[in-house]
Amino acid sequence: MIYIVFLIGFLGTLLITPYFKSLLIESNIVRKNYRQDLIPVCAGIIFLPMIIINSSILRYFYESNDVYIYLFGIMSMAFIGILDDLIGDRNVSGLKGHFKSLLKGKLTTGGFKALFGGFVALLISVSISSNIVDICVNTLLIALSTNLMNLLDLRPGRAIKGYLFISIILLFTVPMYYPKMMIVVLLSNVLAYFKEDLKANAMMGDTGSNVLGISIGIIIAYNFSFIVRLCVLILLILIHIITEKYSLTKIIENNKLLNYIDMLGR
């Protein structure tokens, strides 16, 4: 079953990608990337059709309602990602910047995304947690996992490389078979799309990075012990504190190994 789901997701995404790219270009959904090239944005929407199809297959064969929680998170964050990609203000960046604007009485799309994502994470956490401490830890873990992919998505392929690294670790460490299937539901699509992002032919935008991030957060929150989740949360908090003070791109460029991985395949 896991191979069937992978093939459906991978081949289906390969098939639909040219159609979605043409749709975005013809609709003028384009933006300048870091090299000032105009390319399609919102390309993360490509992930959604095959996620729905494969989730339907999982629900039919496994009769588990967990897939609905997973889909709720993905679709909710894809929606707010599309909004941010289309009308987002790029003059304000970082969680700190967006919340500062909010305190001054100005709501940015980034601020709305942070608040909306927090409430989505809260609802998911309430659904899967056993006590108030679990709810708090899982909410923060899911919300910060989502934003982690946004932090990485500043250069072609960077966020997807980070997602693939984490997903491979999860595939080998999640204790049950069903969560592995849930990982493959998205992983297959991302691998099929990867070249488009890596070669800067399209930009998945917050539409895609939100989906990658919340999927990781949900898998971790749902399948690991409290100690593991707490350690992951502490790591995420540290990463966010560092990236509020220092440029992540500069950190990567100044590290030979990270820079090599970052440039690989471009």
Side-chain angles (χ1 to χ4, degrees):
M1 180 59 70
I2 203 166
Y3 296 116
I4 291 171
V5 167
F6 180 86
L7 284 173
I8 290 172
F10 186 84
L11 296 176
T13 302
L14 281 181
L15 179 65
I16 66 175
T17 294
Y19 296 98
F20 274 90
K21 280 180 63 182
S22 296
L23 174 65
L24 293 171
I25 292 170
E26 291 169 6
S27 302
N28 199 33
I29 311 297
V30 295
R31 185 195 300 162
K32 289 182 180 179
N33 64 5
Y34 78 107
R35 293 186 307 207
Q36 301 304 304
D37 297 327
L38 271 176
I39 60 175
V41 72
C42 284
I45 198 172
I46 292 168
F47 303 149
L48 302 184
M50 302 315 300
I51 288 175
I52 293 292
I53 292 171
N54 269 333
S55 294
S56 301
I57 294 171
L58 290 190
R59 181 62 184 83
Y60 178 80
F61 284 102
Y62 289 91
E63 298 184 356
S64 171
N65 290 327
D66 292 349
V67 70
Y68 297 132
I69 295 173
Y70 186 72
L71 283 175
F72 165 75
I74 283 178
M75 294 302 168
S76 297
M77 293 315 298
F79 160 74
I80 196 63
I82 291 170
L83 183 67
D84 199 27
D85 286 335
L86 292 179
I87 63 171
D89 182 0
R90 305 299 153 188
N91 294 320
V92 181
S93 62
L95 289 175
K96 186 177 178 181
H98 290 300
F99 281 118
K100 271 188 176 180
S101 293
L102 190 61
L103 290 173
K104 292 177 183 178
K106 180 183 178 182
L107 178 64
T108 63
T109 53
F112 179 52
K113 179 178 67 177
L115 291 172
F116 184 84
F119 288 125
V120 169
L122 176 62
L123 178 54
I124 294 171
S125 298
V126 169
S127 303
I128 67 176
S129 304
S130 56
N131 55 60
I132 190 67
V133 176
D134 253 6
I135 290 172
C136 293
V137 169
N138 287 337
T139 299
L140 288 171
L141 194 157
I142 293 170
L144 293 181
S145 293
T146 305
N147 197 58
L148 175 64
M149 289 297 120
N150 289 326
L151 294 176
L152 289 174
D153 193 30
L154 295 176
R155 292 293 184 271
R158 182 184 292 173
I160 293 181
K161 288 174 184 175
Y163 165 79
L164 293 177
F165 175 74
I166 296 169
S167 294
I168 290 169
I169 293 174
L170 292 178
L171 279 172
F172 284 101
T173 55
V174 289
M176 293 178 288
Y177 183 73
Y178 189 76
K180 296 180 191 291
M181 298 284 288
M182 297 301 300
I183 295 168
V184 171
V185 163
L186 176 59
L187 180 63
S188 57
N189 307 332
V190 175
L191 284 172
Y193 165 79
F194 188 23
K195 185 179 178 181
E196 298 292 335
D197 201 82
L198 192 60
K199 298 301 183 183
N201 296 326
M203 192 186 305
M204 67 177 179
D206 283 5
T207 309
S209 61
N210 282 354
V211 168
L212 304 189
I214 198 166
S215 68
I216 288 170
I218 293 171
I219 294 295
I220 296 173
Y222 221 145
N223 296 285
F224 290 92
S225 68
F226 178 79
I227 295 299
V228 172
R229 286 182 282 122
L230 186 60
C231 289
V232 173
L233 176 58
I234 291 170
L235 178 61
L236 287 169
I237 291 171
L238 289 174
I239 290 171
H240 279 77
I241 290 172
I242 291 169
T243 53
E244 283 292 334
K245 293 184 177 182
Y246 305 101
S247 165
L248 182 59
T249 295
K250 291 293 183 184
I251 293 172
I252 292 171
E253 287 175 350
N254 291 331
N255 183 289
K256 288 185 178 180
L257 177 60
L258 292 179
N259 189 57
Y260 173 78
I261 295 170
D262 192 40
M263 296 299 297
L264 192 64
R266 284 195 199 166

